[in-house]
């Protein structure tokens, strides 16, 4: 039974990683159309996906204008809203949200 539990946990982790990749790829395609994925380097699948997520939110922040800041913030939040506050990508999104809020108020 213990072997099954380990296998089930590994499958759950693999599914969660696959879902994270699908979400970041979809967000990349929607928000950064035509921009190639960055090189993800070495590491585990989780490390590579996290680097891709960070690259996505950083690039979205860099490209945001006063007119698109709210849309960018919403798209970023969609990736991380259910994650714990200690998640590195959620922390970065929170930082970007502050910048995007200031940016969006410039147009008022």
């Amino acid at each position: 039974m213990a072997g099954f539990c380990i296998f089930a946990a590994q499958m759950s982790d693999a599914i969660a990683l696959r879902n994270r990749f699908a979400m970041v790829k979809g967000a990349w395609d929607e928000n950064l159309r035509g921009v190639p994925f960055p090189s993800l380097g070495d590491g585990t699948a989780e490390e590579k996906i996290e680097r891709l997520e960070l690259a996505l939110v950083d690039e979205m922040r860099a490209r945001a204008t006063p007119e698109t800041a709210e849309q960018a913030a919403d798209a970023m939040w969609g990736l991380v809203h259910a994650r714990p506050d200690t998640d590195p990508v959620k922390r970065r999104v929170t930082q970007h949200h502050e910048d995007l809020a200031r940016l969006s108020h410039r147009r008022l």
Side-chain angles (χ1 to χ4, degrees), residues 9-25 43-53 79 83 87:
Q10 289 172 341
M11 286 299 295
S12 178
D13 290 346
I15 291 168
L17 286 174
R18 185 186 71 217
N19 290 343
R20 276 179 65 185
F21 180 77
M23 286 186 68
V24 71
K25 183 178 182 331
T44 65
E46 185 171 8
E47 291 168 338
K48 291 177 182 182
I49 291 168
E50 184 176 287
R51 282 195 292 270
L52 183 59
E53 290 167 335
L79 288 172
R83 295 186 191 181
D87 179 89

Side-chain angles (χ1 to χ4, degrees), residues 27-28 30-37 55-73 76 96 100 103:
W28 192 284
E30 184 175 327
N31 296 286
L32 300 177
R33 188 169 289 123
V35 176
F37 274 13
L56 169 69
V57 298
D58 288 348
E59 189 63 27
M60 288 174 65
R61 168 58 193 100
R63 292 170 178 260
T65 65
E67 295 75 28
T68 64
E70 189 174 340
Q71 178 184 355
M76 287 180 198
H96 288 331
L100 292 167
L103 181 63

